[in-house]
């Protein structure tokens, strides 16, 4: 049997791809060159800035928006677990690493430069970032007893690497500097003001609680505050970012018990879920579908059990774009633009290499796929005007005059064949149909490309006899 730490590790591993996408979202945007305007104002999500700098700039927003810069971030979620359970907290963020370049002079000394030519490649000064990750494992009983504080320290440092030309000669050097970061993480577990307790029902199932003997839900809080005192209040933003936690997010796991969804809490915990206050971040269930042992608290709003599309060949640092379009646009960059992008950041070079090596089959997968978002109802179908309607039934379309797709209005009076009766996430019923006499009906059936109507938008018809025109 899988033990607690192994279970949490598996949930965290499953969440890694999404967590990494959050970590690097907006890190570097197309066309991936330093000279591009959009890559001169960076770090848009989960930025926890030095407190004095935040005060001087009036950064007092306490909304859930992760795009607002602030000196602290807070996660609150619901955990149902026994007293002897343990909670694992993983804090992840980026630390700025400023890369400057220096050209080698004939006498062997080095002089600061905007860029260094190195034959076919070039090296450009740019702000990179180093991922940081800190883990804490705390008994739940300790969190219930009072706040537990942990200090985070990411050391500063400086590294120097030679820049070589095509023949291996030193033509310059890259100097990478990091500034120390300090923060305090405070964790606690308290009963919510609206007690999250399940009523003693005989029909309580595992879907409602992790275990039938765990009726209590604690409000688990994670507060992360930047404690830097070295940044001047009037410092420019670029300087403040050097001592800020960037793209900060949290993974929480439990080895015995379960987290409750704040998006779709069980009825008995709905009031407690509304009580949770999340500032610049929001927690969702993560891991494999159905897994309740882990939560990902993200500065970018997500749904429960988020995942990266399996067709995606890799991170492009811009989740608001379509992978196919962005990959094709990347291929249209000129050789000089690609040269600058490769010299800007190693992650930009990796994107170019991956995009240029995509096979036609990989591009075809990016073009689109068919998934079934709506489960089909059972064979009983649905009753319309006292007539059972199911797969294979014929109907006449009567779209609503208001609140419907304007294109559907053109189908008023047309007959259609019901291909499936489906139920959406809100338990609404929909009829998937193909329009009869449509020259593309066979193709649409093969694609699975249907039109959708509510039961009150159709009139049942008798089945067509063999050979009878439809």
């Amino acid at each position: 049997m899988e033990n607690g730490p192994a279970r949490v590790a598996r949930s965290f591993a499953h969440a890694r791809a999404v967590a990494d996408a959050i970590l690097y979202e907006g890190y570097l945007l197309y066309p991936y060159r330093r000279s591009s305007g959009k890559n001169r104002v960076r770090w848009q999500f989960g930025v926890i800035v030095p407190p004095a700098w935040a005060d001087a700039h009036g950064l007092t927003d306490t909304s859930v928006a992760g795009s607002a810069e602030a000196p602290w971030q807070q996660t609150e979620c619901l955990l149902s677990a026994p007293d002897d359970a343990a909670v694992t907290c993983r804090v992840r963020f980026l630390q700025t690493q400023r890369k400057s370049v220096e050209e080698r002079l004939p006498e062997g000394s080095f002089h600061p430069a905007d860029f260094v030519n190195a034959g076919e490649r070039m090296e450009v000064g740019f702000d990179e970032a180093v991922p940081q990750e800190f883990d804490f494992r705390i008994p739940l009983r300790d969190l219930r007893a009072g706040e537990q504080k942990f200090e985070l320290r990411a050391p500063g440092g400086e590294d120097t690497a030679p820049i070589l030309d095509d023949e291996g000669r030193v033509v310059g050097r890259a100097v990478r500097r990091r500034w120390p970061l300090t923060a305090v993480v405070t964790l606690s577990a308290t009963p919510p003001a609206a007690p999250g307790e399940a009523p003693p029902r005989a029909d309580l199932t595992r879907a409602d609680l992790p275990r039938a003997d765990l009726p209590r839900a604690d409000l688990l809080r994670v507060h992360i505050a930047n404690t830097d005192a070295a940044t001047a209040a009037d410092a420019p933003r670029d300087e403040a970012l050097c001592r800020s936690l960037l793209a900060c997010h949290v993974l929480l796991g439990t080895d015995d018990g379960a987290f409750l969804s704040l998006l779709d809490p069980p009825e008995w915990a709905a009031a407690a879920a509304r009580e949770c206050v999340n500032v610049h971040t929001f927690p969702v269930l993560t891991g494999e579908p159905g897994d309740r042992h882990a939560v990902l608290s993200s500065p970018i709003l997500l749904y429960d059990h988020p995942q990266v599309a399996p067709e995606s060949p890799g991170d492009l640092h811009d989740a608001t774009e379509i992978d196919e379009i962005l990959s094709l646009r990347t291929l249209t960059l000129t050789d000089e633009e690609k040269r600058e992008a490769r010299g800007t950041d190693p992650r930009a070079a990796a994107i170019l290499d991956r995009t240029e090596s995509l096979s036609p089959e990989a591009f075809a997968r990016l073009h689109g796929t068919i998934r079934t978002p709506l489960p089909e109802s059972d064979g009983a179908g649905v009753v319309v005007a006292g007539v059972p309607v199911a797969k294979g039934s014929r109907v006449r379309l009567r779209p609503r005059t208001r609140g419907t797709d304007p294109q559907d209005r053109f189908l008023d009076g047309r007959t259609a064949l019901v291909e499936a009766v489906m139920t959406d996430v809100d338990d609404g019923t929909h009829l998937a149909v193909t329009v009869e006499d449509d020259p593309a009906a066979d193709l649409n059936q093969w694609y699975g490309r249907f039109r959708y109507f509510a039961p009150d938008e159709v009139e049942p018809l008798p089945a067509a006899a063999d050979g009878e025109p439809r």
Side-chain angles (χ1 to χ4, degrees):
M1 177 179 290
E2 187 177 45
N3 61 26
R7 184 185 298 119
V8 172
R10 179 164 56 83
S11 298
F12 280 11
H14 194 277
R16 170 69 70 168
V18 173
D20 284 349
I22 293 167
L23 194 65
Y24 287 101
E25 176 62 16
Y27 172 78
L28 187 64
L29 300 175
Y30 172 88
Y32 305 116
R33 308 188 316 268
R34 183 195 63 175
S35 59
S36 173
K38 66 175 71 174
N39 289 319
R40 295 179 182 179
V41 181
R42 301 168 66 209
W43 320 121
Q44 305 300 324
F45 302 100
V47 179
I48 305 181
V49 299
W53 192 84
D55 290 343
H57 290 76
L59 302 181
T60 59
D61 180 87
T62 56
S63 71
V64 73
S67 57
E69 295 174 354
W72 56 274
Q73 177 189 92
Q74 177 175 287
T75 296
E76 287 190 351
C77 58
L78 298 178
L79 171 63
S80 180
D83 200 49
D84 59 354
V87 174
T88 299
C89 176
R90 175 172 294 174
V91 179
R92 307 177 80 228
F93 57 88
L94 292 176
Q95 177 185 21
T96 299
Q97 177 172 265
R98 179 153 296 166
K99 178 184 67 172
S100 58
V101 296
E102 300 174 354
E103 61 180 346
R104 188 175 187 273
L105 301 179
E107 74 275 11
S109 63
F110 293 89
H111 185 269
D114 187 49
F115 63 90
V116 173
N117 278 311
E120 291 187 0
R121 57 181 291 273
M122 67 186 301
E123 196 71 40
V124 178
F126 192 65
D127 279 359
E128 303 171 339
V130 177
Q132 299 289 352
E133 189 171 290
F134 297 84
D135 281 3
F136 311 98
R137 182 173 169 82
I138 318 101
L140 182 56
R141 65 167 61 91
D142 291 352
L143 297 178
R144 287 172 172 168
E147 291 184 344
Q148 304 292 312
K149 293 182 180 289
F150 303 90
E151 187 173 8
L152 301 185
R153 288 187 177 274
E158 184 172 296
D159 304 313
T160 302
I163 300 173
L164 308 179
D165 66 10
D166 299 337
E167 297 180 3
R169 294 173 299 194
V170 177
V171 293
R173 65 183 181 184
V175 181
R176 291 176 167 86
R177 184 183 178 190
R178 298 169 301 283
W179 287 260
L181 300 180
T182 59
V184 169
V185 181
T186 306
L187 293 96
S188 63
T190 58
E197 295 187 1
R201 297 190 337 234
D203 62 339
L204 196 62
T205 66
R206 191 175 183 85
D208 300 306
L209 283 173
R211 282 185 1 211
D213 61 337
L214 300 178
R216 174 180 175 179
D218 285 293
L219 193 154
L220 182 64
R221 179 183 296 118
V222 182
H223 187 278
I224 304 173
N226 190 324
T227 57
D228 172 73
T231 303
D234 60 350
R237 181 175 183 268
D238 284 350
E239 184 177 327
L241 291 175
C242 290
R243 296 180 183 271
S244 299
L245 285 66
L246 310 174
C248 185
H249 59 280
V250 172
L251 283 162
L252 294 168
T254 181
D255 52 8
D256 186 14
F259 290 93
L260 306 180
S261 170
L262 297 190
L263 297 175
D264 186 22
E267 183 179 351
W268 60 268
R274 289 191 295 270
E275 192 179 316
C276 292
V277 178
N278 288 284
V279 181
H280 307 312
T281 187
F282 190 83
V284 295
L285 300 177
T286 191
E288 298 176 359
D291 185 357
R292 293 185 173 196
H293 292 98
V295 155
L296 169 60
S297 188
S298 161
I300 300 172
L301 297 181
L302 302 170
Y303 48 86
D304 284 334
H305 300 108
Q307 59 181 323
V308 174
E311 295 79 17
S312 178
D315 197 352
L316 296 170
H317 306 326
D318 190 351
T320 63
E321 275 283 7
I322 299 172
D323 278 17
E324 179 189 27
I325 295 175
L326 195 51
S327 297
L328 290 171
R329 290 176 67 184
T330 300
L331 292 177
T332 66
L333 294 175
T334 66
D335 289 343
E336 190 59 30
E337 288 174 322
K338 291 180 179 179
R339 182 170 180 262
E340 182 188 347
R342 293 182 191 278
T344 296
D345 190 278
R347 299 187 73 87
I351 289 174
L352 290 173
D353 292 342
R354 185 173 64 244
T355 303
E356 292 177 339
S357 65
L358 283 177
S359 66
E361 293 77 17
F363 265 112
R365 289 193 295 272
L366 287 178
H367 187 63
T369 188
I370 296 175
R371 293 191 176 91
T372 305
L374 302 177
E376 290 195 33
S377 299
D378 55 28
V382 64
V383 176
V384 179
V387 179
V389 175
K391 181 177 181 179
S393 298
R394 297 181 64 232
V395 296
R396 189 176 303 279
L397 303 177
R398 296 298 186 191
R400 301 186 186 102
T401 57
R402 304 183 70 173
T404 190
D405 189 324
Q407 294 189 30
D408 289 346
R409 296 288 299 135
F410 290 104
L411 301 177
D412 189 18
R414 298 284 296 275
T415 61
L417 182 68
V418 176
E419 302 289 350
V421 179
M422 296 183 159
T423 304
D424 63 22
V425 295
D426 296 317
D427 294 327
T429 301
H430 306 266
L431 304 179
V433 305
T434 51
V435 178
E436 295 178 339
D437 295 330
D438 182 352
D442 291 340
L443 184 61
N444 288 337
Q445 287 174 324
W446 179 75
Y447 266 122
R449 184 174 183 178
F450 307 126
R451 295 178 180 272
Y452 296 90
F453 294 86
D456 63 358
E457 294 181 296
V458 303
E459 298 173 353
L461 293 174
D466 291 341
E468 179 183 336
R470 296 180 174 179

